[in-house]
Amino acid sequence: MTTRVKKICCLGAGYVGGPTCAVIAYKCPHIQVTIVDLSETRIAAWNSDKLPIYEPGLDEVVFACRGKNLFFSTEAERAVIEADLIFVSVNTPTKKAGMGAGYAADLAYVESATRQIAEVAKSSKIVVEKSTVPCRTAESMRTILEANSRDDIRFDILSNPEFLAEGTAINDLLHPDRVLIGGLQTPEGQRAQQALAEIYAQWVPTDRIITTNLWSSELSKLAANALLAQRISSINALSAICEATGADIDEVAYACGRDSRIGPKFLKASVGFGGSCFQKDILNLVYLSEQLNLPEVAAYWKQVVDLNEYQKKRFVSRIIKTLFNTITNKRIAVLGFAFKKDTGDTRESAAITLCKDFIQENAQVRIYDPKVSDEQIFFDLSEPGVVNSTIALKKRVTIAGSAYEASDKADAIVIATEWDEFKELNFEKIYEKMNKPAFIFDGRLILDAERLESIGFRVHTIGRANV
Ligand SMILES: NC(=O)C1=CN([C@@H]2O[C@H](COP(=O)(O)OP(=O)(O)OC[C@H]3O[C@@H](n4cnc5c(N)ncnc54)[C@H](O)[C@@H]3O)[C@@H](O)[C@H]2O)C=CC1
Ligand SMILES: O=C(O)[C@H]1O[C@H](OP(=O)(O)OP(=O)(O)OC[C@H]2O[C@@H](n3ccc(=O)[nH]c3=O)[C@H](O)[C@@H]2O)[C@H](O)[C@@H](O)[C@@H]1O
């Protein structure tokens, strides 16, 4: 007989915990879902009209079930005690110091969440690893849980990595390509897998719910992100060849993607991938490979991240060279600061690297993004530990309320994020107000270069040569 889950607790109300568990509550009205976080501000925002993250469709899902079977709270102890199943959806950033610094995942939050569960649980629980973690983390969690809890209760640990992408999270959660549930291949482990599978089966076709052993599940998450990021670095490497030869990267991507073995998705050349996970998870895989004494494998995956850095630097060099080898005191309008469209998230955004390089070259940078707050932009561009960093920064960086304001009297526009509204701008109006010659650098391949050139702009697009 499988365990019927009645109450769920989620530790971590971030980009994953919030949307994922909100969708579970939405699709399973018979289950009570409580999402908890250490951050009082974050929980207060989840309980307000303005949710802490921007995600299309999220408001509708949250507002439909908040206060009915979906609750946001800081009272972790109570939520853990009451729950039959607990998602651990806390952050797992790259370690900044100590062993494996710069590569390994920092598992301190996962460990403290696990200890918290062990300390307060008064009955048996299914504990689900939702965070992205190195292979075999579930084993450490089990050791901690078993060593710190009462003898009469048992913990079944599952790995259920999340594959949603920001900006499309709700759609990805409602219609996932697959749901992956790893468990120990014991009768108890399989029963726990079944209990979680039954929750997803409320809205996901059963042939899309995959069960595997724990370690395959943990590794598949790192592998999926590495394979996705590898496609972007591959197409970006080809974009450099295009710029040098006269081939067009969009045409090359289309021609290659029409081969059904290659496929058309995730072949859009860009200024480089960002986001909180690709770089972190690949570095995690690199570290794992090194730990397993597989240096060639580590070097292979590391190249995906190195190429991404190269792509950003290459774009900056092209901008500087084109602007007559200097951007000192030139006005650069940066359109877009988020790491992709339809999110306000800036973690590892390529725009951060670009802007820091422009500031380093003493340019005047004016930034516009429809969803990122001014404070977040200044935070991302500040140098940690440098006194008065923001004051110095404000001499070089201003934030604009629109793309028009940002490009007023600018020498160049740089498209850093592919927001749809940038395609619809009145470029005639923008051109009139810019310094001449007026340059546009399209880091996202979203603009109609020919049309812009007919207005008078000098357009430089990633993956296209300027002849
Ligand atoms: N952001 C994304 O699109 C995706 C992220 N992931 C993975 O999911 C995990 C979470 O990522 P995000 O949601 O983006 O991180 P996040 O940083 O937005 O959220 C994590 C939250 O956990 C909270 N937290 C930490 N320790 C806690 C504890 N003991 N109890 C309660 N709350 C605690 C933090 O205060 C924070 O609000 C990471 O491992 C990430 O790699 C996986 C798929 C997609
Ligand atoms: O583990 C995670 O965090 C998630 O990481 C990515 O999702 P996310 O980072 O939110 O967004 P993506 O759509 O993958 O975009 C990542 C970066 O790659 C860039 N990108 C994406 C696709 C493309 O063709 N070209 C390209 O440059 C985007 O602009 C963005 O900067 C994966 O797509 C998710 O499946 C995964 O769950």
Side-chain angles (χ1 to χ4, degrees), residues 63-344:
F63 298 156
C65 37
R66 196 176 61 189
K68 294 178 187 148
N69 68 326
L70 174 65
F71 302 91
F72 295 92
S73 162
T74 48
E75 285 181 51
E77 187 169 333
R78 200 169 105 193
V80 168
I81 289 173
E82 288 184 355
D84 320 297
L85 183 145
I86 302 163
F87 283 106
V88 176
S89 192
V90 301
N91 34 331
T92 51
T94 307
K95 268 183 93 171
K96 289 208 174 79
M99 211 167 75
Y103 287 89
D106 183 349
L107 294 175
Y109 299 99
V110 171
E111 180 169 338
S112 79
T114 310
R115 287 184 184 276
Q116 211 176 345
I117 297 170
E119 273 163 29
V120 305
K122 295 186 170 51
S123 59
S124 298
K125 315 271 175 209
I126 297 174
V127 179
V128 184
E129 198 185 66
K130 184 52 105 177
S131 300
T132 303
V133 289
C135 202
R136 296 199 80 88
T137 301
E139 196 166 26
S140 316
M141 288 173 78
R142 188 164 46 141
T143 310
I144 293 170
L145 287 168
E146 285 174 359
N148 290 282
S149 58
R150 294 174 8 183
D151 291 341
D152 58 337
I153 61 181
R154 61 170 288 121
F155 294 100
D156 288 297
I157 301 181
L158 298 176
S159 156
N160 173 220
E162 185 47 62
F163 296 104
L164 69 81
E166 288 176 34
T168 53
I170 297 301
N171 192 52
D172 295 344
L173 288 164
L174 292 175
H175 311 284
D177 285 347
R178 81 304 208 183
V179 167
L180 179 57
I181 305 174
L184 278 186
Q185 299 305 293
T186 58
E188 296 84 358
Q190 284 165 337
R191 255 202 307 274
Q193 276 179 312
Q194 203 45 44
L196 182 56
E198 274 182 16
I199 297 173
Y200 285 110
Q202 298 296 312
W203 76 96
V204 179
T206 45
D207 63 348
R208 292 190 177 209
I209 302 175
I210 307 170
T211 51
T212 64
N213 82 34
L214 267 173
W215 325 122
S216 305
S217 173
E218 288 180 334
L219 185 59
S220 297
K221 174 62 197 177
L222 296 184
N225 272 357
L227 289 166
L228 287 169
Q230 182 194 44
R231 279 175 74 91
I232 306 170
S233 280
S234 299
I235 206 74
N236 283 344
L238 290 165
S239 77
I241 299 180
C242 288
E243 286 168 38
T245 57
D248 180 320
I249 195 63
D250 270 344
E251 291 179 351
V252 172
Y254 181 72
C256 294
R258 283 301 293 265
D259 183 327
S260 59
R261 293 169 303 174
I262 298 172
K265 293 184 186 166
F266 252 73
L267 281 182
K268 189 76 181 166
S270 68
V271 62
F273 61 74
S276 61
C277 294
F278 278 174
Q279 175 173 305
K280 154 176 96 68
D281 294 348
I282 295 172
L283 293 175
N284 196 335
L285 195 62
V286 169
Y287 186 68
L288 180 72
S289 308
E290 271 165 5
Q291 294 295 296
L292 297 170
N293 203 18
L294 302 168
E296 290 82 359
V297 179
Y300 177 79
W301 289 111
K302 176 70 171 29
Q303 189 58 25
V304 173
V305 173
D306 291 346
L307 200 291
N308 197 47
E309 290 306 307
Y310 163 77
Q311 185 75 348
K312 291 184 262 184
K313 295 289 172 200
R314 214 168 62 74
F315 192 52
V316 171
S317 304
R318 188 169 172 191
I319 294 170
I320 297 173
K321 269 193 207 138
T322 309
L323 293 178
F324 315 109
N325 288 313
T326 175
I327 57 170
T328 299
N329 288 330
K330 287 187 181 154
R331 289 165 188 248
I332 313 242
V334 176
L335 301 191
F337 199 77
F339 80 96
K340 62 184 282 198
K341 73 171 182 177
D342 292 339
T343 177

Side-chain angles (χ1 to χ4, degrees), residues 357-373:
D357 285 358
F358 297 153
I359 295 163
Q360 196 73 39
E361 296 283 336
N362 286 321
Q364 290 292 339
V365 184
R366 193 175 280 181
I367 302 167
Y368 167 66
D369 187 285
K371 288 290 172 200
V372 181
S373 69

